[in-house]
Amino acid sequence: MNNFTTPETSTNSTTQSFGLIESLEICVYSINLFFSLPANSYIIWLIITGSGVASEFFILNLSVCELGICLNGLIFILSRWISSLEIIDAFLMGLTFTGRPLNQCLMCVERYLAVVHPVTFLKFKPLRYRVICCTAIWFISLGSCLVCMHHLASNKFRAHTWFLTMQLTLVISIQLFCLVAVLRALKQSGPGERRREREEENHMKRRAFHLILITTVTMIILYFPFTVTGISIILTADNSPTVWFTSLTCFILAGFVQPALYLHRTGKLSCLCSS
């Protein structure tokens, strides 16, 4: 986050504070590398060696994206000593602010279709449609990487902030729509359904609703502090590194939710804890 700190607004006390915050940022990124890298690598291994590559294709892409975010953290740490790596760090920010939210949004849309439009879901359930969707997301993420690199290399921080704010607001709005739609479907029962069939359907709807709810809350914790911080800097010109560190901490901690959720769903989390 040091990319948003300009020399013109720095003072001696701010420089000392930034040195402390920068050290804390390195610690947070190191924690992310220590936990997120093995967790997502383990998820990828489980999916590839298992028999559910088609059904878990979206979470597979999300885990690959998370590995890219781990690489971004490693590049950030190394760029403190190798300044030439800062441009790569700026490039990989596109995975952080576009790749992850789009993959999470795709999972929520899938659950929304499965509950609210089951016929459409079955029509687009084959793996080829999932591959098309994920390919489109990777191309969009690549474009976002190039935009982030251009904005930060050109010191266009205001444009960069609005770019992130617009895309994150759009993604969160889609997820909120899916959340409300699944909640409405959860309260409705089809005519003439038997009690056992209705209970099984409601159980599926609750699982979809809980997944979308957890993903949406996680995304708000992940990206809302960044958005508020960026807008406040535009309005107040206050580049306090402490504010950026708070946003970074929320981002890192909330990033552990999806891997833990998948490992819990597959029963691997309890096995790891017991061992």
Side-chain angles (χ1 to χ4, degrees):
M1 292 301 104
N2 65 314
N3 294 316
F4 293 88
T5 304
T6 58
E8 290 77 10
T9 57
S10 298
T11 61
N12 292 333
S13 60
T14 304
T15 302
Q16 295 175 357
S17 174
F18 181 77
L20 174 62
I21 296 301
E22 188 179 49
S23 300
L24 293 175
E25 285 181 348
I26 293 176
C27 292
V28 171
Y29 273 115
S30 300
I31 293 174
N32 183 48
L33 281 171
F34 184 75
F35 289 101
S36 183
L37 181 62
N40 286 285
S41 299
Y42 181 52
I43 290 175
I44 294 174
W45 180 81
L46 287 175
I47 296 175
I48 293 178
T49 57
S51 58
V53 176
S55 60
E56 304 291 352
F57 193 72
F58 289 155
I59 188 68
L60 175 64
N61 278 266
L62 177 60
S63 297
V64 173
C65 182
E66 291 291 341
L67 293 184
I69 295 175
C70 291
L71 177 62
N72 185 24
L74 178 61
I75 295 297
F76 171 83
I77 296 174
L78 295 178
S79 65
R80 302 311 94 196
W81 294 275
I82 307 175
S83 59
S84 59
L85 293 177
E86 290 183 357
I87 191 66
I88 302 178
D89 179 39
F91 176 81
L92 291 176
M93 285 181 64
L95 289 179
T96 302
F97 294 104
T98 302
R100 177 191 277 177
L102 283 182
N103 277 286
Q104 291 178 338
C105 182
L106 196 59
M107 294 168 58
C108 289
V109 172
E110 179 191 33
R111 295 293 179 177
Y112 161 76
L113 291 176
V115 174
V116 182
H117 303 288
V119 177
T120 304
F121 171 75
L122 293 176
K123 179 181 178 181
F124 293 100
K125 190 176 181 180
L127 179 60
R128 63 179 180 273
Y129 295 109
R130 299 171 187 263
V131 172
I132 293 174
C133 293
C134 291
T135 301
I137 285 181
W138 282 109
F139 274 110
I140 294 173
S141 299
L142 176 61
S144 177
C145 289
L146 295 174
V147 171
C148 290
M149 182 177 65
H150 172 70
H151 283 168
L152 297 180
S154 306
N155 293 329
K156 297 180 179 179
F157 304 132
R158 185 184 296 268
H160 182 66
T161 301
W162 283 113
F163 171 71
L164 297 181
T165 302
M166 291 176 60
Q167 68 174 5
L168 295 178
T169 302
L170 176 62
V171 171
I172 292 178
S173 299
I174 294 174
Q175 292 199 204
L176 288 176
F177 168 77
C178 295
L179 179 68
V180 174
V182 173
L183 179 61
R184 290 183 57 187
L186 182 62
K187 295 181 179 180
Q188 298 174 354
S189 298
E193 290 182 342
R194 284 182 285 183
R195 181 176 180 180
R196 183 174 180 179
E197 294 176 349
R198 187 165 59 247
E199 290 178 353
E200 292 178 354
E201 182 181 1
N202 286 340
H203 177 68
M204 181 191 67
K205 291 179 180 179
R206 288 192 186 94
R207 285 187 58 186
F209 174 75
H210 290 156
L211 175 64
I212 296 175
L213 177 62
I214 292 174
T215 304
T216 303
V217 172
T218 302
M219 283 193 63
I220 292 175
I221 298 174
L222 278 168
Y223 302 107
F224 186 72
F226 276 112
T227 304
V228 172
T229 302
I231 294 177
S232 66
I233 286 178
I234 291 176
L235 297 177
T236 64
D238 179 17
N239 288 337
S240 174
T242 305
V243 179
W244 284 119
F245 175 72
T246 304
S247 303
L248 177 66
T249 303
C250 294
F251 172 79
I252 295 299
L253 293 180
F256 297 137
V257 175
Q258 284 295 336
L261 185 65
Y262 177 82
L263 293 175
H264 173 72
R265 179 166 60 86
T266 56
K268 300 298 182 180
L269 187 61
S270 57
C271 295
L272 292 175
C273 293
S274 60
S275 61

